[in-house]
Amino acid sequence: MKNNPVVLLWDLETAPMITATFSLYPERIDHTHIIQDWFIISASWKLLGKSGVQSLCIKKEGDDYELVKKLREVILGADLLVHQNGDRFDVKKLNARLIYHKLPPLPQIPTCDTLKEIKKIAGMSSNRLDYLGHHLIGQRKMETERGLWLRAMKGDKTALKKMVAYCNQDVLLLESVYMRLRPYMKTHAHIGVLRGHDRDVSCRKCGGTHMNKRGLMVTASGHKQQRYQCLDCGSWSSYPLKNRT
């Protein structure tokens, strides 16, 4: 086990599809009308608690092979992926490009999707990253001008620079929101176990070992569990009595 598990916060930006349509409001566009399919324009990532955001972007229109290949190598080193709507979007988009480029699949890596988690624990006015950042942290996503994605997908250097900056800001904002939500989350990879500690003497969320017993609880099925609270991050957890050490 690792003393310092690799928690990777990341984000992708993809190009729009170029399609042929007979209307500005089509109900459905057939796949045979795709003139140019989508691809990944840029990717940014950051290690939790470390300074600096790293990024990749395309060099020319439609060619994301090197970006996808390098991003795969980065993700291979992660113990936990943190993203906003990444289970539905980023992971699947990356897998689509791995398949397209005939690159090896990624192993199963635990994820923490802040969009899923906020829906489980709170009734916010909006679950979008921009709202959560502004409402909880006082920070927002970077504003972008109309047409930026179209220029970036064509390899415009100025547009790509702005796209990378936009993606980087998303990752920084994601980190702040994640840290704010983490103690409240219902599901999370057990960071304490990843650090080599027993699960019921270490915190699932932050990995700390300052755990206090806070009485017993009884599950819906009638099983007693010991309840713990982490003195480092404040989060709660509970485990069956028979698993106590």
Side-chain angles (χ1 to χ4, degrees):
M1 295 296 178
K2 300 180 180 180
N3 290 328
N4 294 300
V6 178
V7 179
L8 190 76
L9 304 110
W10 70 308
D11 184 52
L12 293 179
E13 299 300 333
T14 62
M17 291 185 289
I18 298 176
T19 63
T21 174
F22 293 101
S23 169
L24 292 177
Y25 308 98
E27 293 183 3
R28 178 178 179 273
I29 299 176
D30 192 272
H31 69 275
T32 59
H33 286 194
I34 298 175
I35 297 172
Q36 179 174 299
D37 215 333
W38 66 272
F39 53 90
I40 298 175
I41 298 177
S42 67
S44 296
W45 66 92
K46 182 184 185 299
L47 299 182
L48 181 66
K50 303 294 183 180
S51 61
V53 180
Q54 299 183 66
S55 59
L56 293 165
C57 67
I58 58 170
K59 302 299 181 183
K60 62 180 181 180
E61 183 176 5
D63 185 5
D64 64 359
Y65 176 80
E66 288 299 326
L67 185 158
V68 172
K69 182 180 178 182
K70 291 178 182 178
L71 181 59
R72 178 186 176 277
E73 293 171 359
V74 169
I75 290 178
L76 275 176
D79 296 300
L80 173 65
L81 296 177
V82 178
H83 41 230
Q84 168 81 1
N85 196 33
D87 287 354
R88 181 180 178 184
F89 183 81
D90 302 73
V91 171
K92 290 186 176 181
K93 288 296 185 181
L94 178 58
N95 280 335
R97 298 310 284 172
L98 289 172
I99 294 169
Y100 177 80
H101 290 303
K102 300 179 181 179
L103 291 167
L106 285 164
Q108 185 174 356
I109 300 173
T111 66
C112 177
D113 193 321
T114 52
L115 178 62
K116 286 184 175 180
E117 293 303 318
I118 192 64
K119 288 181 177 180
K120 293 176 186 176
I121 61 178
M124 294 290 181
S125 299
S126 171
N127 296 317
R128 297 177 69 89
L129 182 61
D130 183 59
Y131 172 83
L132 295 175
H134 182 252
H135 184 61
L136 301 176
I137 313 297
Q139 301 172 11
R140 307 201 75 145
K141 291 167 67 77
M142 192 178 98
E143 292 186 6
T144 58
E145 69 271 20
R146 189 180 183 89
L148 177 62
W149 268 256
L150 293 176
R151 297 198 306 276
M153 69 183 287
K154 293 183 181 297
D156 180 276
K157 291 184 178 180
T158 300
L160 283 172
K161 186 177 180 179
K162 290 182 179 178
M163 184 66 71
V164 168
Y166 173 83
C167 202
N168 287 352
Q169 173 61 16
D170 273 9
V171 170
L172 291 171
L173 188 57
L174 170 66
E175 181 176 42
S176 296
V177 169
Y178 165 72
M179 291 301 293
R180 184 65 173 270
L181 299 180
R182 189 173 68 175
Y184 302 88
M185 289 182 179
K186 297 295 184 182
T187 52
H188 195 281
H190 204 304
I191 301 299
V193 171
L194 285 172
R195 286 183 174 173
H197 305 301
D198 290 338
R199 71 172 189 173
D200 54 352
V201 296
S202 59
C203 180
R204 173 186 297 275
K205 316 292 177 53
C206 73
T209 54
H210 301 101
M211 305 291 289
N212 263 15
K213 293 180 180 180
R214 300 293 193 190
L216 301 179
M217 63 169 288
V218 179
T219 66
S221 58
H223 293 95
K224 290 183 179 180
Q225 293 190 345
Q226 177 68 58
R227 189 160 52 192
Y228 298 87
Q229 185 176 25
C230 176
L231 299 183
D232 293 323
C233 72
S235 65
W236 292 79
S237 56
S238 60
Y239 300 104
L241 292 176
K242 64 180 182 181
N243 288 335
R244 285 185 294 171
T245 57

